[in-house]
Amino acid sequence: NWKPEDKSIDQATQEMIKKAEKENIETIWDRLEAQQPQCGYGQLGICCKNCFQGPCRIDPFGDGPKKGVCGATADTIVARNLARMIAAGAAAHSDHGRHVVIAMYEAIEHGAPYPIKDEKKLKSVAKKLGIAVDNREIKEIAKDVIKKAFEDFGKQDDSIINFADAYANDKRKQTWKDAGVAPRNIDREVVEIMHRTTMGVDHDTVSLIAQGIKASLGDGWGGSLIATEFQDILFGTPQIGKREANLGVLKEDYVNIVVHGHEPVLSEKIIEAAQDPELIELAKKYGAKGINAVGMCCTGLELLVRHGTPIAGNYLQQELAIVTGAVEAMVVDVQCIMPSLVDVARCFHTKIIDTSSLATFPGATHIKFDERKADEIAKEIVRTAVENFSNREKNKVQIPKGKSEAIGGFSVEATLEALGGSLQPLEDAIKSGTIRGIVGIVGCNNVKVKHNYNHITLTNELIKNDILIIGTGCWATACAEYGIFLPEYAKNAGDGLRTICESLGIPPALNMGSCVDCSRMLVLADLMARDLGVDISDLPLAGSATEAMTEKAVSIGTYFVASGIFTHLGTTPPVLGSQEVVKVLTENAFDIVGGAFYVEPDPVKAAKTLTEYIEKKRKALGI
Ligand code: SF4
Ligand code: FE2
């Protein structure tokens, strides 16, 4: 008896959930219900299957076993499982980063069609890395930048990775060095987690978590940062502009293509191909008015912040986009893509096209991507979608009206420009108390949380308290759909934040992009710390992953904490089976890296705690 109104706060989403129910199409909410009750051992993190003497599980309350067959305690098992979650999350972000570096390498060395769009950004990244830029050819600078990035994935010495070294301030780096968590090599830290957590290696909660932190820093200040910076170089640094969001961006009379996943190396090309006059002509021949290419999830955000491409939704809306009956093709690459899409698509004419050599979906159409032939493949994909238009069953089409306008594209560069060239106006506002502080909110929807409810409620509560919000991922799409990214939304903020937003013409919450763009938040925090001559952990900042779900979110949360940021989770990760692990994450971490986790499912309560934390930081700074 779970009503559509209780599954999402968004009307367009509710409308499509109702359509799915009426047409007997199974969605994620049905599958969650079918899983009830979910495994209590799994929820607490106390089951282990790291060897096949197991699986073992620890009895958390009764007189059952307190040790696995090998002797592993609940603490060891929980810490190992947590470390593996971080490894997977860091691997996903960083492999994405690697793919972008490879695209640039392929462009420079083998003529792949990825010209450098933002030379200014290339030079600024090169300068940070200590690479000479004066009187040098762009290609030569690019080669050196690529080399530095490749080194971070492959060097074998114990020094900190190049990007973290170049981007993080000295105070932060010293903290990492003292704690023994400075990342040496993005890939190696992930591999080392797999080594340490295999049967019979590391059994100590603190040392396992420390390695988790190391890998997460290799993500935030390595793989994710590299993804962001290289994407800006290749596709342009996001600039502030108007966009549209929600399922209502699909168009009844057009060929609708939804690009879904994470890596813009593909989606950038699809968007280009969708503007090809020949293919538009072909679409018209099939009776459509044209081609409407829109985004979904993070690759959608990548396109939205750079080119103003509309976004059809966030994680929990992916099946529902197909339920509209109006999607000719959903083109997917990697991460956050439900395998169920293929089943939903079977109820319609929609083609699911998988494109990544890493990710094959049984039942989908496979058109695998290759950087060197990017343009041809993108055109083939768009043509496949166009040719599918005639298969659309008109009586099955129902596109919800719901869509919202939103301002997006707040890269650090664009934000600085909006502020007149430096962060000083923002820092002055923080010092004077007009703005009390900043909270960075990151992505995910989690089907266990009412879709977008935590994102919107937490954001609303915090802006009332004059706290500026920055953020990425599914949070950003939620806010875009809700109208929070409009400057006029500032009327819902406290007087101080409202005044600042009105004078600058900005919304009270800023969309910084996709989940790898969480690195932009780190860069912003670092800049502020440098300006004020303090460590990031001294600033009136906090973080939140309020509808967290993926292993990637665990990695992001961990590198936020390890960057000195107090970080809220609105959902509970599977760690409660170990008091010791919980204590390290929520208390001891403060002493080691200056930040820690805090779990609170109620966003109103969480806003109160985050506000109090920010006030405490202000007091300590004497502002
Ligand atoms: Fe059980 Fe130990 Fe094997 Fe895990 S590693 S399954 S606890 S015996
Ligand atoms: Fe994402």
Side-chain angles (χ1 to χ4, degrees):
N1 225 348
W2 196 4
K3 295 195 191 77
E5 294 74 19
D6 298 325
K7 292 177 181 171
S8 172
I9 61 165
D10 175 60
Q11 273 184 16
T13 306
Q14 292 167 6
E15 192 185 325
M16 283 305 101
I17 293 173
K18 283 178 200 158
K19 183 172 189 277
E21 283 175 358
K22 209 172 85 199
E23 293 170 16
N24 261 322
I25 301 166
E26 182 194 275
T27 61
I28 185 168
W29 290 274
D30 304 315
R31 293 189 296 274
L32 178 67
E33 265 189 311
Q35 282 291 337
Q36 301 309 315
Q38 285 177 303
C39 171
Y41 296 97
Q43 277 170 353
L44 296 173
I46 43 176
C47 44
C48 179
K49 50 176 180 52
N50 292 11
C51 84
F52 40 103
Q53 299 174 102
C56 299
R57 53 190 201 185
I58 304 301
D59 183 349
F61 311 117
D63 301 328
K66 296 289 170 220
K67 284 178 185 164
V69 173
C70 66
T73 60
D75 295 326
T76 298
I77 291 174
V78 169
R80 282 200 300 218
N81 288 344
L82 172 69
R84 284 193 171 201
M85 289 189 91
I86 297 171
H93 287 144
S94 301
D95 213 28
H96 168 171
R98 181 201 332 270
H99 293 157
V100 193
V101 184
I102 289 175
M104 195 154 124
Y105 172 81
E106 286 291 326
I108 300 239
E109 301 292 342
H110 302 289
Y114 290 99
I116 287 170
K117 281 215 184 104
D118 196 337
E119 295 183 359
K120 197 170 147 203
K121 176 92 190 209
L122 172 70
K123 286 182 186 166
S124 98
V125 173
K127 272 191 207 154
K128 280 198 181 123
L129 291 163
I131 294 165
V133 298
D134 293 337
N135 306 318
R136 294 188 72 202
E137 296 237 353
I138 286 298
K139 206 173 154 181
E140 295 308 311
I141 302 171
K143 277 185 185 170
D144 286 350
V145 173
I146 291 168
K147 192 165 161 251
K148 289 276 185 195
F150 278 155
E151 266 173 30
D152 281 355
F153 287 100
K155 72 181 187 64
Q156 299 302 325
D157 63 66
D158 283 347
S159 64
I160 188 169
I161 52 173
N162 298 320
F163 273 77
D165 193 27
Y167 279 70
N169 64 68
D170 291 340
K171 285 200 168 83
R172 210 18 44 198
K173 283 188 282 190
Q174 193 57 48
T175 305
W176 294 336
K177 207 171 157 208
D178 294 345
V181 295
R184 303 156 294 180
N185 164 328
I186 297 163
D187 288 347
R188 179 177 177 183
E189 306 311 351
V190 172
V191 169
E192 191 169 307
I193 286 180
M194 298 315 285
H195 181 181
R196 282 183 190 235
T197 56
T198 195
M199 213 289 286
V201 187
D202 194 357
H203 303 104
D204 181 65
T205 52
V206 175
S207 85
L208 283 161
I209 292 170
Q211 182 57 28
I213 287 176
K214 222 171 184 178
S216 78
L217 288 171
D219 170 357
W221 296 85
S224 283
L225 178 64
I226 287 171
T228 296
E229 299 300 68
F230 276 72
Q231 284 167 182
D232 283 358
I233 293 168
L234 284 183
F235 310 128
T237 303
Q239 296 303 323
I240 300 162
K242 254 206 177 138
R243 338 287 196 201
E244 277 184 342
N246 213 341
L247 293 163
V249 302
L250 295 168
K251 291 185 186 165
E252 184 137 13
D253 307 329
Y254 284 70
V255 171
N256 288 304
I257 302 176
V258 181
V259 285
H260 173 23
H262 277 78
E263 297 186 0
V265 172
L266 164 78
S267 56
E268 282 273 336
K269 288 293 172 191
I270 304 279
I271 294 296
E272 265 177 48
Q275 286 156 11
D276 183 287
E278 246 174 65
L279 290 168
I280 294 175
E281 224 21 72
L282 187 67
K284 287 183 178 159
K285 227 169 80 189
Y286 280 105
K289 284 189 179 151
I291 304 171
N292 181 41
V294 301
M296 170 74 61
C297 284
C298 276
T299 208
L301 286 164
E302 299 276 7
L303 297 169
L304 178 141
V305 293
R306 292 199 177 86
H307 310 298
T309 309
I311 189 159
N314 52 11
Y315 173 77
L316 280 177
Q317 293 175 295
Q318 56 186 289
E319 293 175 309
L320 304 174
I322 300 173
V323 172
T324 62
V327 175
E328 273 55 57
M330 187 174 272
V331 185
V332 304
D333 54 16
V334 289
Q335 300 172 25
C336 298
I337 303 153
M338 294 184 206
S340 65
L341 290 181
V342 178
D343 302 321
V344 180
R346 276 198 196 104
C347 307
F348 301 92
H349 73 303
T350 308
K351 276 193 198 299
I352 305 296
I353 304 178
D354 64 26
T355 59
S356 167
S357 57
L358 274 67
T360 296
F361 288 69
T365 306
H366 317 299
I367 306 181
K368 298 298 187 183
F369 200 64
D370 170 354
E371 292 87 1
R372 294 191 201 177
K373 294 189 222 135
D375 289 323
E376 292 102 285
I377 295 170
K379 278 185 195 162
E380 187 192 337
I381 291 171
V382 172
R383 183 171 298 112
T384 308
V386 169
E387 285 168 352
N388 196 25
F389 184 75
S390 51
N391 296 323
R392 192 194 280 187
E393 292 166 86
K394 291 222 166 64
N395 59 339
K396 282 191 177 174
V397 174
Q398 180 188 335
I399 302 173
K401 294 262 176 308
K403 66 175 172 183
S404 242
E405 289 207 315
I407 305 277
F410 287 88
S411 56
V412 175
E413 291 82 349
T415 307
L416 286 172
E417 211 178 292
L419 294 171
S422 83
L423 280 182
Q424 209 189 332
L426 182 60
E427 287 158 3
D428 287 347
I430 290 176
K431 277 189 213 154
S432 72
T434 323
I435 294 178
R436 308 304 295 173
I438 303 177
V439 171
I441 311 184
V442 306
C444 291
N445 291 138
N446 183 327
V447 68
K448 293 177 178 174
V449 175
K450 191 199 256 193
H451 170 239
N452 288 354
Y453 172 76
N454 281 7
H455 287 319
I456 301 304
T457 310
L458 184 70
T459 305
N460 276 334
E461 291 298 312
L462 290 171
I463 63 171
K464 269 192 238 163
N465 296 343
D466 290 318
I467 291 168
L468 176 71
I469 311 297
I470 55 177
T472 63
C474 288
W475 167 83
T477 307
C479 289
E481 292 175 346
Y482 202 78
I484 292 182
F485 289 153
L486 290 169
E488 49 269 34
Y489 199 83
K491 66 175 189 288
N492 299 297
D495 283 343
L497 179 60
R498 182 177 51 76
T499 319
I500 298 279
C501 289
E502 281 170 1
S503 73
L504 292 169
I506 60 167
L510 309 179
N511 177 3
M512 297 193 100
S514 71
C515 52
V516 290
D517 291 333
C518 289
S519 63
R520 297 192 202 276
M521 296 196 244
L522 298 180
V523 171
L524 194 76
D526 179 79
L527 216 64
M528 207 170 263
R530 284 173 200 253
D531 285 353
L532 302 181
V534 297
D535 194 357
I536 297 175
S537 54
D538 300 318
L539 296 169
L541 300 183
S544 172
T546 168
E547 300 182 21
M549 169 269 293
T550 62
E551 292 168 320
K552 294 181 290 175
V554 182
S555 180
I556 295 173
T558 308
Y559 72 64
F560 264 39
V561 165
S563 300
I565 299 168
F566 178 56
T567 300
H568 160 246
L569 296 176
T571 53
T572 313
V575 296
L576 297 189
S578 166
Q579 286 307 315
E580 208 175 293
V581 169
V582 171
K583 193 165 170 285
V584 173
L585 295 175
T586 58
E587 293 173 33
N588 305 9
F590 272 126
D591 305 325
I592 307 164
V593 286
F597 280 107
Y598 149 67
V599 178
E600 172 54 65
D602 179 348
V604 178
K605 282 190 194 150
K608 203 166 160 271
T609 306
L610 292 173
T611 306
E612 281 164 9
Y613 180 80
I614 280 174
E615 292 301 333
K616 199 176 96 191
K617 284 285 154 186
R618 296 186 59 88
K619 215 166 160 196
L621 272 176
I623 55 173

